[in-house]
Amino acid sequence: MQNLQYKAGGRAFAQIAQFHPELTALRRDLHAHPELGFEEVYTSARVREALRAAGVDEVHEGIGRTGVVGVVRGRGRSSGQMVGLRADMDALPMAEHNDFAWRSCKSGLMHGCGHDGHTTMLVGAARYLAATRRFDGTAVLIFQPGEEGMGGARVMIEDGLFERFPVQSVFAMHNWPAMKPGTIGLNEGAMMAAADRITIEITGRGGHGAHPYQTVDVVLVAAHITTALQSIVARNVRAIDSAVISVCAMRAGELGAFSVMPGEATLVGTVRSFSPKVQDMMEARIKDLCSAIALGFGATATVRYERIYPATINTASEARFAAGVAEQLVGAESVVRNLEPSMGAEDFSFMLQAKPGAYLRLGQGNGAALHNSRYDFNDAVLPLGAALHASLVEQAMPLTGGV
């Protein structure tokens, strides 16, 4: 067994740790073969192969295009309960700068967020649950495509995920480099923010840079809009709430035409918040502010506001339950029950809008950050993540009369 760098206990962890090397081999194979959202053909095939080898009762493919769902029935069926566990499968469109043997074999594609590890941990849980079946009910193992900005969770739901598998609750976890291995974090409310996209199209009148008085300068308008947008959070959002507006890209003119003032400019950015009320307010203020500023300079501004992902909000009872399960694995001192929310976004939020559940952070150590070209998932935490998945099922649907 590999050096685990942490302490964990329990029957599920001990048993899963015995096939840790096999999980590591699978994880590294997935890392070497990254695929973008809804293109996870190789990954889905490896998942289906692993689930069948593990002896799960059912394997369903093509849900949400490339999604896979495995079903494991417990020894008992009297509860009629069904619990969902979700892992994301897709990679990122970025070049990898690692030099280990399992680095990406695809130019411009990389598992830079650890979804290879998430998928492997759920496969490990499937193997354990199918072998032991120490629960009363049904475990639904959801391998989701397209988490990275493509809304794969929403696509699976629209494709009938919860009609076909009517779970009473659903859980997911994400590795977190800022937490040390063997630690688990969550809270009873907002875990991640809503992610919205803003596109601001500014139209003025172009002309010669030597005669700006003959133009309506869209670059100047864009600069004023960029600065003014920062006042929305500072002067419209309560200090006890949280929100972010960031302008992340601007396009105007041609770099080679240094004396030509463009007639059009585009700003693109993101808005993050936790409250629908704050979200509504910011959308309205952005539109009003951009229009008024542009008008003041004789230009026009059109705002397209797109709500990409809702906020990821844990339901309180499921979060408390999951924290209790985690404490039994790693001890109360290694579970953070009041983890600070992140302004990042996660499409597991769509599942939490449809079903009660919780999203957890699994510490993996202070290596490279997520979405970094030198990131790699820490294989040492594979047994713990798999055991946490499995334990959520066993304790949510316990066998009556012992095992």
Side-chain angles (χ1 to χ4, degrees):
M1 188 170 65
Q2 301 171 30
N3 178 16
L4 295 179
Q5 307 170 14
Y6 58 87
K7 293 182 180 179
R11 180 173 50 203
F13 177 81
Q15 188 162 332
I16 292 170
Q18 299 305 309
F19 52 88
H20 187 187
E22 296 167 62
L23 294 178
T24 299
L26 173 61
R27 202 285 300 178
R28 294 180 179 181
D29 179 62
L30 296 178
H31 187 95
H33 299 88
E35 297 169 303
L36 296 179
F38 304 119
E39 299 176 8
E40 303 97 338
V41 176
Y42 180 84
T43 306
S44 292
R46 292 287 280 119
V47 167
R48 295 194 304 270
E49 175 187 40
L51 292 178
R52 292 185 177 114
V56 305
D57 297 300
E58 300 173 15
V59 178
H60 302 264
E61 58 183 291
I63 303 174
R65 296 166 61 177
T66 48
V68 178
V69 174
V71 175
V72 183
R73 300 184 184 90
R75 292 184 195 173
R77 311 284 175 79
S78 60
S79 73
Q81 294 294 299
M82 187 176 287
V83 171
L85 304 172
R86 172 270 204 176
D88 37 17
M89 300 189 294
D90 57 325
L92 287 159
M94 59 185 289
E96 180 164 7
H97 294 144
N98 290 311
D99 56 6
F100 42 63
W102 56 92
R103 65 185 178 275
S104 173
C105 67
K106 297 183 179 181
S107 177
L109 297 182
M110 177 192 176
H111 268 296
C113 200
H115 296 185
D116 48 344
H118 302 165
T119 298
T120 302
M121 291 189 299
L122 192 52
V123 166
R127 178 171 170 176
Y128 167 83
L129 291 170
T132 58
R133 302 180 185 267
R134 295 188 183 99
F135 58 96
D136 186 326
T138 303
V140 178
L141 316 173
I142 305 164
F143 295 86
Q144 180 209 303
E147 189 280 326
E148 296 288 356
M150 298 182 183
R154 183 189 64 241
V155 174
M156 291 191 83
I157 292 169
E158 291 172 347
D159 203 16
L161 174 66
F162 291 138
E163 284 76 24
R164 296 175 63 178
F165 310 98
V167 300
Q168 282 75 46
S169 57
V170 63
F171 299 88
M173 66 185 75
H174 200 295
N175 75 94
W176 205 234
M179 296 173 62
K180 65 182 181 180
T183 58
I184 297 164
L186 74 167
N187 62 53
E188 296 182 15
M191 285 291 290
M192 301 193 76
D196 302 333
R197 175 189 173 99
I198 50 172
T199 305
I200 305 167
E201 301 281 356
I202 304 166
T203 303
R205 184 171 62 250
H208 199 294
H211 307 286
Y213 57 90
Q214 297 176 345
T215 74
V216 175
D217 187 354
V218 295
V219 174
L220 180 63
V221 176
H224 277 269
I225 286 175
T226 300
T227 301
L229 287 176
Q230 301 310 310
S231 72
I232 294 177
V233 173
R235 289 296 176 265
N236 294 269
V237 178
R238 297 187 311 164
I240 60 174
D241 291 328
S242 299
V244 170
I245 299 176
S246 293
V247 176
C248 302
M250 174 180 175
R251 183 179 65 196
E254 299 292 337
L255 294 179
F258 77 99
S259 64
V260 178
M261 298 178 67
E264 296 178 343
T266 301
L267 301 174
V268 175
T270 187
V271 181
R272 305 295 172 111
S273 62
F274 295 106
S275 161
K277 183 178 179 180
V278 171
Q279 190 178 28
D280 292 341
M281 179 276 295
M282 290 198 296
E283 178 176 357
R285 291 295 294 128
I286 289 169
K287 290 179 177 178
D288 290 345
L289 197 63
C290 290
S291 178
I293 290 173
L295 181 63
F297 286 94
T300 60
T302 302
V303 177
R304 184 166 72 253
Y305 194 103
E306 302 169 86
R307 302 195 180 199
I308 307 300
Y309 287 170
T312 304
I313 310 293
N314 288 346
T315 48
S317 60
E318 282 69 28
R320 288 192 294 270
F321 163 73
V325 173
E327 287 184 355
Q328 292 185 38
L329 281 171
V330 296
E333 69 281 0
S334 295
V335 177
V336 181
R337 285 177 173 259
N338 60 345
L339 188 69
E340 182 179 275
S342 167
M343 279 299 185
E346 160 68 67
D347 81 343
F348 185 62
S349 54
F350 290 110
M351 295 192 182
L352 289 180
Q353 284 190 328
K355 298 287 181 178
Y359 182 80
L360 301 90
R361 298 285 191 197
L362 180 68
Q364 83 145 24
N366 292 317
L370 301 174
H371 292 218
N372 184 288
S373 65
R374 294 196 178 276
Y375 169 86
D376 189 33
F377 187 88
N378 183 359
D379 292 318
V381 303
L382 289 171
L384 178 56
L388 180 54
H389 273 311
S391 298
L392 288 168
V393 167
E394 288 185 333
Q395 295 189 40
M397 303 181 291
L399 276 172
T400 57
V403 295

